[in-house]
Amino acid sequence: MSTLAQQQCEACQAGAPKVSDDELKELMREIPDWAPVARDGVLQLERVYKFKNFKQAWAFGNKVAELAEAEFHHPGILMEWGKVTVTWWTHAIGGLHRNDFIMAAKTDQLL
Ligand SMILES: C[C@H](O)[C@H](O)[C@H]1CNC2=NC(N)=NC(=O)C2=N1
């Protein structure tokens, strides 16, 4: 079985299944530095990456943006001095799809 980071996102549209509670637990084991957070009832994956300054944070944020465009699956990216907060969820289903875990794992590989 390939790791999450080696997998590709599948085309996802409204009506696609959200991950179940059991799948969530299983998938979270592969991305231990991420946390599931609920915002306005929408479950998301979030990680804060720390950097020495804004320039390094900015460069990482840009890499995440390029990854998102390449996979056509887009996160929230908050760039601050020394920090980048990345948040993955699937807008079309208002929650977490397997794609979000794949993208979180791919994000970690950008470091
Ligand atoms: C039209 C729609 O926005 C696109 O199909 C894509 C773009 N990127 C996306 N990114 C995320 N995270 N969720 C989506 O549902 C999504 N949809």
Side-chain angles (χ1 to χ4, degrees):
M1 176 77 164
S2 64
T3 66
L4 280 175
Q6 293 163 328
Q7 295 173 33
Q8 300 305 315
C9 287
E10 63 187 50
C12 177
Q13 59 267 336
K18 293 179 186 166
V19 294
S20 67
D21 290 349
D22 288 346
E23 287 166 333
L24 175 71
K25 284 194 193 85
E26 175 72 23
L27 289 163
M28 285 310 299
R29 291 219 296 262
E30 285 204 53
I31 47 168
D33 296 316
W34 291 74
V37 294
R39 286 210 173 82
D40 302 326
V42 176
L43 204 49
Q44 306 170 347
L45 295 174
E46 190 154 291
R47 181 177 177 182
V48 179
Y49 296 88
K50 299 288 181 66
F51 297 94
K52 287 197 197 111
N53 52 42
F54 186 79
K55 195 166 180 185
Q56 289 190 5
W58 182 5
F60 180 73
N62 282 350
K63 280 192 196 173
V64 177
E66 283 161 19
L67 168 69
E69 198 55 17
E71 296 284 341
F72 207 64
H73 195 68
H74 304 85
I77 306 172
L78 174 60
M79 277 190 240
E80 300 171 90
W81 195 97
K83 272 170 68 172
V84 175
T85 303
V86 182
T87 310
W88 288 104
W89 79 101
T90 299
H91 315 152
I93 64 173
L96 288 177
H97 184 276
R98 186 180 179 79
N99 288 347
D100 299 303
F101 294 85
I102 291 170
M103 294 307 288
K106 288 180 184 290
T107 306
D108 285 345
Q109 294 210 314
L110 296 175
L111 281 173

